[in-house]
PDB file of all heavy atoms in Angstrom:
ATOM      1  N   ASP A 208     -19.297  12.883 -32.633  1.00 63.00           N
ATOM      2  CA  ASP A 208     -20.624  12.274 -32.528  1.00 63.00           C
ATOM      3  C   ASP A 208     -20.628  10.822 -33.008  1.00 63.00           C
ATOM      4  O   ASP A 208     -21.672  10.190 -33.070  1.00 63.00           O
ATOM      5  CB  ASP A 208     -21.629  13.086 -33.356  1.00 63.00           C
ATOM      6  CG  ASP A 208     -23.064  12.907 -32.878  1.00 63.00           C
ATOM      7  OD1 ASP A 208     -23.248  12.553 -31.702  1.00 63.00           O
ATOM      8  OD2 ASP A 208     -23.986  13.100 -33.681  1.00 63.00           O
ATOM      9  N   SER A 209     -19.435  10.288 -33.334  1.00 62.00           N
ATOM     10  CA  SER A 209     -19.393   8.970 -33.977  1.00 62.00           C
ATOM     11  C   SER A 209     -19.824   7.847 -33.049  1.00 62.00           C
ATOM     12  O   SER A 209     -20.316   6.818 -33.506  1.00 62.00           O
ATOM     13  CB  SER A 209     -17.977   8.697 -34.504  1.00 62.00           C
ATOM     14  OG  SER A 209     -17.028   8.745 -33.450  1.00 62.00           O
ATOM     15  N   ASN A 210     -19.635   8.007 -31.744  1.00 59.00           N
ATOM     16  CA  ASN A 210     -19.994   6.938 -30.811  1.00 59.00           C
ATOM     17  C   ASN A 210     -21.183   7.299 -29.928  1.00 59.00           C
ATOM     18  O   ASN A 210     -21.410   6.662 -28.897  1.00 59.00           O
ATOM     19  CB  ASN A 210     -18.790   6.583 -29.932  1.00 59.00           C
ATOM     20  CG  ASN A 210     -17.743   5.828 -30.711  1.00 59.00           C
ATOM     21  OD1 ASN A 210     -18.055   4.921 -31.458  1.00 59.00           O
ATOM     22  ND2 ASN A 210     -16.496   6.236 -30.563  1.00 59.00           N
ATOM     23  N   THR A 211     -21.922   8.341 -30.322  1.00 63.00           N
ATOM     24  CA  THR A 211     -23.088   8.720 -29.538  1.00 63.00           C
ATOM     25  C   THR A 211     -24.132   7.600 -29.569  1.00 63.00           C
ATOM     26  O   THR A 211     -24.454   7.066 -30.628  1.00 63.00           O
ATOM     27  CB  THR A 211     -23.722  10.011 -30.096  1.00 63.00           C
ATOM     28  OG1 THR A 211     -22.746  11.041 -30.051  1.00 63.00           O
ATOM     29  CG2 THR A 211     -24.936  10.412 -29.267  1.00 63.00           C
ATOM     30  N   THR A 212     -24.625   7.267 -28.419  1.00 62.00           N
ATOM     31  CA  THR A 212     -25.624   6.198 -28.320  1.00 62.00           C
ATOM     32  C   THR A 212     -27.017   6.808 -28.267  1.00 62.00           C
ATOM     33  O   THR A 212     -27.305   7.659 -27.430  1.00 62.00           O
ATOM     34  CB  THR A 212     -25.376   5.362 -27.050  1.00 62.00           C
ATOM     35  OG1 THR A 212     -24.084   4.772 -27.151  1.00 62.00           O
ATOM     36  CG2 THR A 212     -26.411   4.270 -26.908  1.00 62.00           C
ATOM     37  N   THR A 213     -27.889   6.381 -29.173  1.00 65.00           N
ATOM     38  CA  THR A 213     -29.251   6.906 -29.204  1.00 65.00           C
ATOM     39  C   THR A 213     -30.293   5.867 -28.814  1.00 65.00           C
ATOM     40  O   THR A 213     -31.424   6.201 -28.516  1.00 65.00           O
ATOM     41  CB  THR A 213     -29.582   7.442 -30.600  1.00 65.00           C
ATOM     42  OG1 THR A 213     -29.367   6.413 -31.563  1.00 65.00           O
ATOM     43  CG2 THR A 213     -28.689   8.626 -30.932  1.00 65.00           C
ATOM     44  N   THR A 214     -29.897   4.602 -28.852  1.00 71.00           N
ATOM     45  CA  THR A 214     -30.814   3.539 -28.442  1.00 71.00           C
ATOM     46  C   THR A 214     -30.043   2.483 -27.660  1.00 71.00           C
ATOM     47  O   THR A 214     -28.979   2.049 -28.095  1.00 71.00           O
ATOM     48  CB  THR A 214     -31.475   2.856 -29.664  1.00 71.00           C
ATOM     49  OG1 THR A 214     -32.152   3.842 -30.436  1.00 71.00           O
ATOM     50  CG2 THR A 214     -32.480   1.803 -29.205  1.00 71.00           C
ATOM     51  N   ILE A 215     -30.576   2.096 -26.518  1.00 70.00           N
ATOM     52  CA  ILE A 215     -29.984   1.033 -25.711  1.00 70.00           C
ATOM     53  C   ILE A 215     -30.984  -0.124 -25.626  1.00 70.00           C
ATOM     54  O   ILE A 215     -32.128   0.065 -25.227  1.00 70.00           O
ATOM     55  CB  ILE A 215     -29.680   1.513 -24.279  1.00 70.00           C
ATOM     56  CG1 ILE A 215     -28.580   2.573 -24.280  1.00 70.00           C
ATOM     57  CG2 ILE A 215     -29.286   0.338 -23.396  1.00 70.00           C
ATOM     58  CD1 ILE A 215     -27.221   2.015 -24.603  1.00 70.00           C
ATOM     59  N   ASP A 216     -30.554  -1.297 -26.035  1.00 73.00           N
ATOM     60  CA  ASP A 216     -31.329  -2.512 -25.810  1.00 73.00           C
ATOM     61  C   ASP A 216     -30.587  -3.324 -24.754  1.00 73.00           C
ATOM     62  O   ASP A 216     -29.501  -3.839 -25.012  1.00 73.00           O
ATOM     63  CB  ASP A 216     -31.461  -3.330 -27.097  1.00 73.00           C
ATOM     64  CG  ASP A 216     -32.399  -2.673 -28.099  1.00 73.00           C
ATOM     65  OD1 ASP A 216     -33.182  -1.814 -27.686  1.00 73.00           O
ATOM     66  OD2 ASP A 216     -32.324  -3.015 -29.293  1.00 73.00           O
ATOM     67  N   ALA A 217     -31.163  -3.415 -23.569  1.00 74.00           N
ATOM     68  CA  ALA A 217     -30.495  -4.071 -22.445  1.00 74.00           C
ATOM     69  C   ALA A 217     -31.214  -5.368 -22.075  1.00 74.00           C
ATOM     70  O   ALA A 217     -32.445  -5.408 -21.994  1.00 74.00           O
ATOM     71  CB  ALA A 217     -30.446  -3.136 -21.242  1.00 74.00           C
ATOM     72  N   TYR A 218     -30.429  -6.409 -21.869  1.00 73.00           N
ATOM     73  CA  TYR A 218     -30.956  -7.714 -21.478  1.00 73.00           C
ATOM     74  C   TYR A 218     -30.223  -8.179 -20.226  1.00 73.00           C
ATOM     75  O   TYR A 218     -29.090  -7.789 -19.967  1.00 73.00           O
ATOM     76  CB  TYR A 218     -30.724  -8.751 -22.586  1.00 73.00           C
ATOM     77  CG  TYR A 218     -31.371  -8.414 -23.911  1.00 73.00           C
ATOM     78  CD1 TYR A 218     -30.727  -7.585 -24.814  1.00 73.00           C
ATOM     79  CD2 TYR A 218     -32.626  -8.918 -24.242  1.00 73.00           C
ATOM     80  CE1 TYR A 218     -31.303  -7.269 -26.034  1.00 73.00           C
ATOM     81  CE2 TYR A 218     -33.211  -8.614 -25.464  1.00 73.00           C
ATOM     82  CZ  TYR A 218     -32.552  -7.786 -26.359  1.00 73.00           C
ATOM     83  OH  TYR A 218     -33.133  -7.478 -27.564  1.00 73.00           O
ATOM     84  N   ASP A 219     -30.885  -9.024 -19.452  1.00 69.00           N
ATOM     85  CA  ASP A 219     -30.168  -9.658 -18.347  1.00 69.00           C
ATOM     86  C   ASP A 219     -30.227 -11.175 -18.519  1.00 69.00           C
ATOM     87  O   ASP A 219     -30.842 -11.698 -19.449  1.00 69.00           O
ATOM     88  CB  ASP A 219     -30.692  -9.211 -16.976  1.00 69.00           C
ATOM     89  CG  ASP A 219     -32.101  -9.691 -16.680  1.00 69.00           C
ATOM     90  OD1 ASP A 219     -32.598 -10.586 -17.393  1.00 69.00           O
ATOM     91  OD2 ASP A 219     -32.704  -9.171 -15.727  1.00 69.00           O
ATOM     92  N   ASN A 220     -29.547 -11.881 -17.620  1.00 68.00           N
ATOM     93  CA  ASN A 220     -29.448 -13.325 -17.759  1.00 68.00           C
ATOM     94  C   ASN A 220     -30.751 -14.040 -17.409  1.00 68.00           C
ATOM     95  O   ASN A 220     -30.844 -15.258 -17.549  1.00 68.00           O
ATOM     96  CB  ASN A 220     -28.312 -13.874 -16.891  1.00 68.00           C
ATOM     97  CG  ASN A 220     -28.437 -13.413 -15.453  1.00 68.00           C
ATOM     98  OD1 ASN A 220     -28.582 -12.228 -15.198  1.00 68.00           O
ATOM     99  ND2 ASN A 220     -28.377 -14.320 -14.506  1.00 68.00           N
ATOM    100  N   GLY A 221     -31.766 -13.297 -17.001  1.00 69.00           N
ATOM    101  CA  GLY A 221     -33.069 -13.887 -16.760  1.00 69.00           C
ATOM    102  C   GLY A 221     -33.995 -13.758 -17.951  1.00 69.00           C
ATOM    103  O   GLY A 221     -35.170 -14.112 -17.877  1.00 69.00           O
ATOM    104  N   GLY A 222     -33.463 -13.202 -19.056  1.00 71.00           N
ATOM    105  CA  GLY A 222     -34.283 -13.042 -20.251  1.00 71.00           C
ATOM    106  C   GLY A 222     -35.089 -11.758 -20.256  1.00 71.00           C
ATOM    107  O   GLY A 222     -35.910 -11.539 -21.146  1.00 71.00           O
ATOM    108  N   ASN A 223     -34.876 -10.872 -19.289  1.00 74.00           N
ATOM    109  CA  ASN A 223     -35.611  -9.611 -19.233  1.00 74.00           C
ATOM    110  C   ASN A 223     -35.000  -8.591 -20.186  1.00 74.00           C
ATOM    111  O   ASN A 223     -33.810  -8.641 -20.507  1.00 74.00           O
ATOM    112  CB  ASN A 223     -35.599  -9.076 -17.806  1.00 74.00           C
ATOM    113  CG  ASN A 223     -36.197 -10.070 -16.837  1.00 74.00           C
ATOM    114  OD1 ASN A 223     -37.354 -10.457 -16.964  1.00 74.00           O
ATOM    115  ND2 ASN A 223     -35.392 -10.516 -15.878  1.00 74.00           N
ATOM    116  N   PHE A 224     -35.822  -7.645 -20.621  1.00 74.00           N
ATOM    117  CA  PHE A 224     -35.419  -6.682 -21.633  1.00 74.00           C
ATOM    118  C   PHE A 224     -35.855  -5.290 -21.209  1.00 74.00           C
ATOM    119  O   PHE A 224     -36.925  -5.100 -20.635  1.00 74.00           O
ATOM    120  CB  PHE A 224     -36.066  -7.032 -22.973  1.00 74.00           C
ATOM    121  CG  PHE A 224     -35.934  -5.955 -24.024  1.00 74.00           C
ATOM    122  CD1 PHE A 224     -34.746  -5.812 -24.733  1.00 74.00           C
ATOM    123  CD2 PHE A 224     -36.980  -5.086 -24.279  1.00 74.00           C
ATOM    124  CE1 PHE A 224     -34.622  -4.814 -25.694  1.00 74.00           C
ATOM    125  CE2 PHE A 224     -36.871  -4.090 -25.235  1.00 74.00           C
ATOM    126  CZ  PHE A 224     -35.686  -3.965 -25.951  1.00 74.00           C
ATOM    127  N   PHE A 225     -34.992  -4.304 -21.506  1.00 71.00           N
ATOM    128  CA  PHE A 225     -35.384  -2.907 -21.300  1.00 71.00           C
ATOM    129  C   PHE A 225     -34.733  -2.069 -22.381  1.00 71.00           C
ATOM    130  O   PHE A 225     -33.573  -2.275 -22.728  1.00 71.00           O
ATOM    131  CB  PHE A 225     -34.973  -2.399 -19.924  1.00 71.00           C
ATOM    132  CG  PHE A 225     -35.472  -1.005 -19.672  1.00 71.00           C
ATOM    133  CD1 PHE A 225     -36.787  -0.794 -19.281  1.00 71.00           C
ATOM    134  CD2 PHE A 225     -34.655   0.091 -19.885  1.00 71.00           C
ATOM    135  CE1 PHE A 225     -37.272   0.485 -19.092  1.00 71.00           C
ATOM    136  CE2 PHE A 225     -35.125   1.378 -19.698  1.00 71.00           C
ATOM    137  CZ  PHE A 225     -36.436   1.572 -19.297  1.00 71.00           C
ATOM    138  N   GLN A 226     -35.477  -1.100 -22.907  1.00 72.00           N
ATOM    139  CA  GLN A 226     -34.952  -0.230 -23.959  1.00 72.00           C
ATOM    140  C   GLN A 226     -35.019   1.224 -23.524  1.00 72.00           C
ATOM    141  O   GLN A 226     -35.995   1.669 -22.923  1.00 72.00           O
ATOM    142  CB  GLN A 226     -35.748  -0.404 -25.257  1.00 72.00           C
ATOM    143  CG  GLN A 226     -35.175   0.424 -26.420  1.00 72.00           C
ATOM    144  CD  GLN A 226     -35.973   0.271 -27.692  1.00 72.00           C
ATOM    145  OE1 GLN A 226     -37.058   0.835 -27.813  1.00 72.00           O
ATOM    146  NE2 GLN A 226     -35.434  -0.472 -28.658  1.00 72.00           N
ATOM    147  N   VAL A 227     -33.943   1.950 -23.817  1.00 69.00           N
ATOM    148  CA  VAL A 227     -33.911   3.400 -23.626  1.00 69.00           C
ATOM    149  C   VAL A 227     -33.621   4.003 -24.986  1.00 69.00           C
ATOM    150  O   VAL A 227     -32.691   3.578 -25.677  1.00 69.00           O
ATOM    151  CB  VAL A 227     -32.812   3.821 -22.625  1.00 69.00           C
ATOM    152  CG1 VAL A 227     -32.939   5.304 -22.310  1.00 69.00           C
ATOM    153  CG2 VAL A 227     -32.875   2.994 -21.364  1.00 69.00           C
TER     154      VAL A 227
END
Side-chain angles (χ1 to χ4, degrees):
D208 204 24
S209 59
N210 287 315
T211 301
T212 299
T213 56
T214 303
I215 293 289
D216 288 342
Y218 300 85
D219 68 14
N220 53 309
N223 302 300
F224 169 79
F225 185 80
Q226 184 181 75
V227 188

